[in-house]
Amino acid sequence: MTIKTHAIVLAALSATLGGQAAAQTDLLPDIFVEPSYLYDNQITVEGGVRYLRLSNGTANIGLGKLYLRGGEINGDTRTVYQRVYRDDGSSWEREAGQFTHHSNHGHMHFDDWAAYRLREIVGQDGVGDIVAEGFKTSFCIIDLGVYDSSLPNFNPNGEFRSCNSTIQGLSVGWVDIYSKGLSGQVIPIDGVPDGEYWLESEVDPDNHVLESDEDNNISRVRVVIGGGGGLEPDAFEPNETRAETAGRAEGRAQQPKLRPLQPAAGPGRPDHPRRL
Ligand SMILES: [Zn+2]
C-alpha cells in the first residue's frame, strides 16, 4: 500500500513539474521463512532442560535487497539504518532496530531477527495457542546460499558476505541459514505434553524492517513431541521409504539433507560456534 501511494504521489509531482522528475519506485525486500529448513529439528536435553532445536532459513524474494547499515555506536550496540534503493538507483534510509556486538562471536548481530514458537493444532489444520517459545534470536545477516536465481534483480554474486562488516543484508534470491546446532536455535519444551504441534518461525517479529509484503513472515511445519507411538499414521501422506526421501532435492521439504541449494556459493558459517 505504501509503495503504491508513494508512486502515485511522485507521479503527481512529476506531472506538476511538467515531467522534469521521473516517477521512482522503491525496490523493497520481502523476507520470508522457507519452511523446509524447519523440518531439520530434534529434541535435546541440555543442562537438565528439554529443548526442541530447529534450523531456520530466511530468504529474500522481494524486488530489492535488504541492506542494513550500522550507524551511531552506543556502547555494545549500534543503531541500524535500512537503506531502500529505488529503481532509478537512488536510495533513502530509515531506522530499523539495532546491531549488538557479541564478544563470543567477535562481530555484530542484527537483533530480533527471528522468533520460534510451538502452537497447538486445532482440528485438522487450525492454528491454536502458543504452548512454548524461545527467546528472539539475533544474527549477522549474510548471503549464505542461492535460493531462487530466477527472481527479477537476482544478484548471482551475492553482496553480503562478512559478519565483520558494518553492512549486513540479504540479496534478492539469496537465503541465510541458521542451523539447529547454533546457540539460540531452541524452544524450551519442559512441561509440554507429548503430541503433535505446529513449529512456527517468524522473521522480523518486531517489524524493524520495511518489506513489500509484511504478511508472509510466518511459516509453520508439524512436529511431534515425544513421538514413539500413540500417533496414527497420516492418512493423507504415505510413509516414504528411505530411498524416496533421499531422492528428493537437497534442501527441499522432507529431504533429510538441509543445506543451501548451491552450497559452494556461500561462505559457510564457521564463526558461529555452538554456545549454550
Ligand atoms: Zn555471530
Side-chain angles (χ1 to χ4, degrees), residues 102-123:
H102 283 246
S103 52
N104 289 28
H105 292 197
H107 54 239
M108 305 296 268
H109 281 191
F110 185 53
D111 289 345
D112 307 326
W113 182 238
Y116 307 130
R117 311 179 187 101
L118 214 54
R119 286 182 179 272
E120 289 177 342
I121 299 175
V122 178

Side-chain angles (χ1 to χ4, degrees), residues 157-208:
N157 300 315
E159 176 176 349
F160 307 99
R161 300 304 196 127
S162 170
C163 290
N164 297 313
S165 168
T166 57
I167 307 295
Q168 299 184 11
L170 205 47
S171 298
V172 174
W174 286 73
V175 60
D176 197 2
I177 300 154
Y178 320 94
S179 62
K180 65 177 185 281
L182 299 172
S183 67
Q185 293 296 108
V186 291
I187 300 173
I189 54 169
D190 277 338
V192 173
D194 287 356
E196 194 175 19
Y197 296 92
W198 290 117
L199 170 57
E200 174 179 286
S201 169
E202 179 174 14
V203 66
D204 192 29
D206 293 342
N207 201 24
H208 291 308

Side-chain angles (χ1 to χ4, degrees), residues 29-38 56-62 66 113-114 147-148 151 170-171 173-178 201-204 209 211-220 252:
D30 181 19
I31 314 298
F32 97 115
V33 174
E34 166 54 49
S36 64
Y37 293 98
L38 302 176
N56 191 35
T58 54
N60 182 2
I61 56 172
L66 172 66
W113 182 238
Y147 175 71
D148 186 349
L151 291 172
L170 205 47
S171 298
W174 286 73
V175 60
D176 197 2
I177 300 154
Y178 320 94
S201 169
E202 179 174 14
V203 66
D204 192 29
V209 167
E211 304 176 58
S212 55
D213 184 347
E214 304 284 3
D215 296 326
N216 62 353
N217 287 13
I218 295 178
S219 290
R220 299 182 189 95
R252 306 310 291 184

